[in-house]
Amino acid sequence: MRKILFYKVFLLPFILLACKEKKIAAKNEIAHDSLVAGSVKIDTVQKKQRIHQDIFEFDSYNDDGDYMILNANKNKDLYGFINDKNEDRSLLKGDQIQINWKNDTIYIAGDGETPEIAKWIISVKKIKDGKVSKFRKEYKKELKYHWDGESFSGDYLDKLYLLAEYYIANSRNPLIQQAIKNKEQIEYSIEERTKDNRAYIVLGVGREFEHRFTIIQWIYIDVENHKIYQYDLGNEKLTEFR
């Protein structure tokens, strides 16, 4: 009986010490986990607040959705930036621009308002004219256009105008280049066509000569992705315009 009592008295302090060390270890582990979780939150916030800067080639504005988008190209890749806080719409396709942006949250409508990280523009400035900007300064005329039958909204006609202008300013067709140089009136016809089961808007780009409209080049604009194709009349095929 004395031996049992002796062992209990002798071992009790060690048992209490071991329990105390376990509690301290558990507290330290909880504190470490909290610190790690806090670091992740801080790192996420820092990443969202970090300001980025780079040079891009302007492509287009898209103000038709829940967020206003500025599209720009870099190394043949297309990037979309949230442009809600910028009211300027003076950039033209091909202009070289500098964009400052940060990553922040947007909410996808129709998908349960799902949050998603996106590039928010802080500031954007043009640093060099593209060919369309140079074309406007040199040609100094507005393009004319006409169509029969089809009904197009004003906004859609404006978008077609920008695409036609981009093609004309970048065209390597010698007749179009000559018309620009001579300040001849350039215009285009508009119609809808289907080719190989795809829908296109077809522009007949030409010039006015002796009060007659003569088509120089047919171009096809894909309705879905707005890519421009030149029609090769001799081979009866479309070639993507780059």
Side-chain angles (χ1 to χ4, degrees), residues 55-59 72-73 90-98 125-134 166:
I55 306 300
F56 296 85
E57 183 181 286
F58 175 75
D59 182 83
N73 291 295
S90 63
L91 294 171
L92 296 172
K93 189 175 176 70
D95 285 344
Q96 197 172 86
I97 57 176
Q98 178 182 289
K125 68 175 181 179
K126 180 166 72 171
I127 57 178
K128 186 179 180 180
D129 281 343
K131 288 188 176 181
V132 177
S133 291
K134 291 178 181 177
Y166 176 78

Side-chain angles (χ1 to χ4, degrees), residues 29 58 95 106 175 226:
E29 190 174 335
F58 175 75
D95 285 344
I106 61 172
L175 294 178
H226 300 143

Side-chain angles (χ1 to χ4, degrees), residues 124-165:
V124 57
K125 68 175 181 179
K126 180 166 72 171
I127 57 178
K128 186 179 180 180
D129 281 343
K131 288 188 176 181
V132 177
S133 291
K134 291 178 181 177
F135 167 77
R136 285 193 180 185
K137 291 177 181 178
E138 293 170 6
Y139 185 62
K140 296 180 180 179
K141 286 185 177 183
E142 289 194 359
L143 305 175
K144 291 183 178 181
Y145 55 88
H146 58 271
W147 70 94
D148 294 319
E150 291 88 0
S151 178
F152 301 105
S153 68
D155 287 343
Y156 195 69
L157 289 172
D158 289 343
K159 291 177 181 178
L160 289 179
Y161 186 97
L162 293 175
L163 290 169
E165 188 178 42

Side-chain angles (χ1 to χ4, degrees), residues 8 21 31 52 104 124 134 143 186 193 206 211 222 226:
K8 285 184 178 180
E21 287 177 347
H52 307 267
D104 209 340
V124 57
K134 291 178 181 177
L143 305 175
I186 300 174
R193 288 187 195 173
H211 307 293
D222 192 300
H226 300 143

Side-chain angles (χ1 to χ4, degrees), residues 56-64 67-74 77-83 86 88-97 99 121 124 132 158-160 162-163 166 224-227:
F56 296 85
E57 183 181 286
F58 175 75
D59 182 83
S60 60
Y61 297 107
N62 183 355
D63 298 337
D64 297 334
Y67 293 93
M68 297 178 182
I69 306 295
L70 183 153
N71 295 310
N73 291 295
K74 178 79 173 180
D77 292 323
L78 185 66
Y79 295 86
F81 297 85
I82 305 299
N83 197 38
N86 178 23
D88 179 53
R89 295 295 181 272
S90 63
L91 294 171
L92 296 172
K93 189 175 176 70
D95 285 344
Q96 197 172 86
I97 57 176
I99 301 178
I121 287 180
V124 57
V132 177
D158 289 343
K159 291 177 181 178
L160 289 179
L162 293 175
L163 290 169
Y166 176 78
E224 290 185 10
N225 56 34
H226 300 143
K227 287 184 178 180

